[in-house]
């Protein structure tokens, strides 16, 4: 499995290299540092020699790095970050995961399906608060059936790898919850508590580019920094740390530099958690709308009431649509279930075109399909769902 993964990664990265060559893009493998006057100092990895490039425009896209926590040191083998968790040569019998957010859930779900006994340790008292509460609740039920239940309100105090003299080496983790301190033992430990902007060593003092108090590069609505002719995109700036968001930002900046009109609508950037079942959403959650005092209406529909879901033998989960109570404008769509990552695209398009819930309800959806759940959820906003009793 790991060999197949590496083969796919190699093919994809070779494809990028081929695109560079075809489009006459010159690449350097090294560490870049922005100097004053839009100059970039590159320290090459293979020779450690430096070279200075000058440009009319510069785009910074330095990405992000995994957050480390006190008293838990990575060793790359027993205590790992998200990259290390993709390099195990066998499924750990007992895998501990610090953090039950997006990355912790995704990787915990992978190794649980491969046979590991996975324990998720989450310091927050609520499960997946970034998602809509009904979707998080439905997802938690499905994960519990799989044996993937997070220990909420559990703070990790420290972790260390045992000496292994008496038996195989293990990771000893000290945690604290409402019952006090206790110790857990795992074969491997994954730290997945989030990521931070990778800006260390990126900017010279006189580069003219400012950082925010969170260490991100400060940009305006068009991704332009505080230095003339310098833009920044992706994980190193504000907004969600999502690959597709970064890609679209890059395209927008390139179009702006070329003199074209371009803009990224952050309100319609889709989120996806690649667990089983998948979780995906776009727009506002119910709790966000409530906090903002927005008058809204909600409609939902379960995949268990779709013929396609039943035929696939995978009918867990639901679709939830939120719309403005007065205008019917779609404010958010939230999905947990099969192919959620694909189904959310229709909802993104509808929101981009300022669609209403009635628009989704009146669009003909093929039968039998999973997308019928989106259709029925939109109908259910007004109590008109065809295939459920309201």
């Amino acid at each position: 499995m790991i060999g197949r993964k590496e083969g796919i990664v190699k093919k994809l990265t070779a494809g990028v290299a081929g695109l560079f060559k075809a489009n006459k893009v010159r690449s350097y493998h090294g560490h870049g540092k922005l100097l004053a006057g839009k100059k970039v100092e590159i320290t090459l990895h293979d020779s450690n020699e430096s070279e200075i490039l000058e440009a009319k425009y510069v785009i910074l896209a330095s990405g992000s790095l995994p957050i480390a926590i006190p008293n838990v040191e990575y060793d790359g083998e027993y205590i790992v970050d998200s990259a290390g968790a993709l390099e195990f040569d066998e499924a750990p019998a007992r895998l501990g995961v610090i953090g039950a957010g997006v990355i912790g859930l995704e990787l915990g779900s992978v190794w649980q399906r491969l046979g590991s006994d996975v324990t998720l340790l989450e310091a927050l008292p609520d499960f997946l608060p970034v998602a809509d509460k009904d979707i998080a609740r439905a997802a938690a039920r499905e994960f519990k059936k799989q044996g993937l239940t997070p220990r909420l309100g559990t703070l990790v105090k420290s972790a260390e790898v045992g000496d292994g003299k008496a038996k195989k080496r293990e990771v000893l983790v000290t945690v604290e919850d409402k019952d006090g301190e206790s110790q857990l033992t795992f074969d491997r430990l994954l730290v997945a508590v989030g990521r931070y902007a990778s800006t260390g060593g990126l900017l010279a003092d006189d580069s003219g580019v400012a950082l925010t108090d969170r260490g991100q590069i400060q940009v305006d609505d068009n991704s332009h920094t505080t230095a003339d002719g310098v833009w920044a995109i992706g994980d190193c700036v504000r907004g969600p740390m999502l690959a597709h968001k970064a890609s679209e930002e890059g395209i927008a900046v390139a179009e702006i530099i070329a003199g074209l009109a371009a803009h990224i609508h952050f309100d319609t950037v889709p989120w996806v958690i690649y667990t089983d079942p998948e979780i995906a959403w776009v727009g506002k959650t119910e709790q966000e709308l409530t906090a903002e005092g927005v008058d809204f209406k909600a409609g939902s529909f379960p995949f268990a009431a779709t013929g396609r879901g039943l035929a696939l033998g995978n009918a867990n989960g639901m679709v939830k649509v939120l719309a403005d109570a007065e205008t019917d404008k779609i404010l958010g769509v939230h999905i947990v279930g099969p192919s959620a990552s694909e189904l959310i695209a229709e909802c993104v398009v509808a929101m981009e075109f300022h669609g209403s819930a009635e628009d989704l309800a009146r669009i003909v959806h093929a039968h039998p399909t999973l997308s019928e759940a989106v259709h029925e959820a939109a109908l259910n906003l007004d109590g008109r769902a065809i295939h459920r009793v309201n």
Side-chain angles (χ1 to χ4, degrees):
M1 185 192 73
I2 296 297
R4 179 175 181 271
K5 180 264 294 184
E6 291 174 348
I8 292 172
V9 171
K10 184 177 180 180
K11 185 175 182 179
L12 290 172
T13 54
V16 173
L19 289 170
F20 274 17
K21 184 177 181 180
N23 289 281
K24 298 181 175 59
V25 176
R26 186 176 181 182
S27 62
Y28 294 81
H29 294 268
H31 182 274
K33 184 176 185 178
L34 180 68
L35 310 178
K38 289 174 288 191
K39 294 181 180 180
V40 177
E41 179 184 25
I42 300 173
T43 303
L44 301 174
H45 288 324
D46 55 1
S47 64
N48 208 36
E49 295 179 354
S50 295
E51 185 173 341
I52 303 293
L53 302 179
E54 295 186 44
K56 188 175 181 181
Y57 308 106
V58 176
I59 301 174
L60 304 172
S62 55
S64 61
L65 295 169
I67 293 174
I69 59 176
N71 303 316
V72 182
E73 294 185 11
Y74 297 117
D75 69 355
E77 183 178 2
Y78 293 94
I79 303 177
V80 300
D81 57 19
S82 55
L86 294 172
E87 299 294 337
F88 294 150
D89 55 10
E90 63 180 359
R94 299 163 301 172
L95 174 64
V97 180
I98 304 176
V102 174
I103 298 173
L105 280 175
E106 287 181 338
L107 290 173
S109 177
V110 167
W111 288 108
Q112 191 271 339
R113 280 176 278 159
L114 290 171
S116 296
D117 180 7
V118 178
T119 300
L120 298 168
L121 305 171
E122 174 56 59
L124 296 176
D126 300 315
F127 175 69
L128 206 59
V130 68
D132 184 89
K133 61 180 183 179
D134 289 332
I135 297 300
R137 190 179 299 117
R141 283 197 302 268
E142 296 305 320
F143 294 145
K144 185 176 181 180
K145 293 176 186 177
Q146 301 170 12
L148 192 67
T149 303
R151 288 184 49 168
L152 301 174
T154 301
L155 179 67
V156 173
K157 305 295 291 290
S158 66
E160 60 181 356
V161 181
D163 55 26
K165 291 179 179 178
K167 52 183 178 179
K168 65 179 182 179
R169 302 189 75 182
E170 297 175 323
V171 184
L172 308 176
V173 181
T174 301
V175 301
E176 183 179 14
D177 57 19
K178 60 182 177 59
D179 297 321
E181 283 194 6
S182 59
Q183 196 169 66
L184 304 172
T185 304
F186 303 106
D187 296 294
R188 296 288 190 275
L189 179 67
L190 162 62
V191 181
V193 294
R195 301 178 69 85
Y196 68 95
S198 177
T199 54
L202 179 68
L203 307 169
D205 292 338
D206 58 355
S207 68
V209 174
L211 298 178
T212 68
D213 54 3
R214 296 182 59 188
Q216 298 170 313
I217 297 173
Q218 183 177 319
V219 294
D220 61 19
D221 290 342
N222 291 320
S223 297
H224 195 271
T225 72
T226 51
D228 184 47
V230 180
W231 283 262
I233 64 168
D235 286 6
C236 64
V237 301
R238 79 288 181 260
M241 291 185 174
L242 300 168
H244 44 280
K245 172 260 192 184
S247 178
E248 292 303 320
E249 277 182 324
I251 292 169
V253 167
E255 290 177 338
I256 291 171
I257 290 174
L260 303 175
H263 184 67
I264 294 292
H265 299 141
F266 290 104
D267 290 340
T268 51
V269 173
W271 290 66
V272 179
I273 304 179
Y274 294 96
T275 47
D276 183 16
E278 292 183 343
I279 304 169
W281 69 90
V282 60
K284 300 284 189 178
T285 64
E286 180 175 330
Q287 52 266 38
E288 286 174 328
L289 294 175
T290 300
E292 294 170 9
V294 177
D295 190 12
F296 66 93
K297 52 186 178 179
S300 61
F301 196 80
F303 285 106
T306 66
R308 186 64 180 273
L310 293 172
L312 289 172
N314 187 4
N316 299 320
M318 60 181 285
V319 177
K320 180 178 179 180
V321 178
L322 301 169
D324 188 278
E326 181 178 356
T327 67
D328 198 43
K329 179 182 178 181
I330 302 169
L331 303 176
V333 182
H334 307 269
I335 306 173
V336 55
S339 299
S341 59
E342 305 291 344
L343 295 173
I344 201 65
E346 171 189 9
C347 309
V348 174
V349 171
M351 289 184 65
E352 273 288 339
F353 282 89
H354 306 285
S356 66
E358 185 176 357
D359 290 327
L360 276 181
R362 292 192 178 277
I363 293 172
V364 178
H365 289 69
H367 172 78
T369 60
L370 295 171
S371 67
E372 288 179 284
V374 177
H375 181 230
E376 295 269 10
L379 281 166
N380 195 40
L381 262 83
D382 296 317
R384 296 188 296 122
I386 305 300
H387 294 96
R388 73 177 294 179
V389 176
N390 295 294

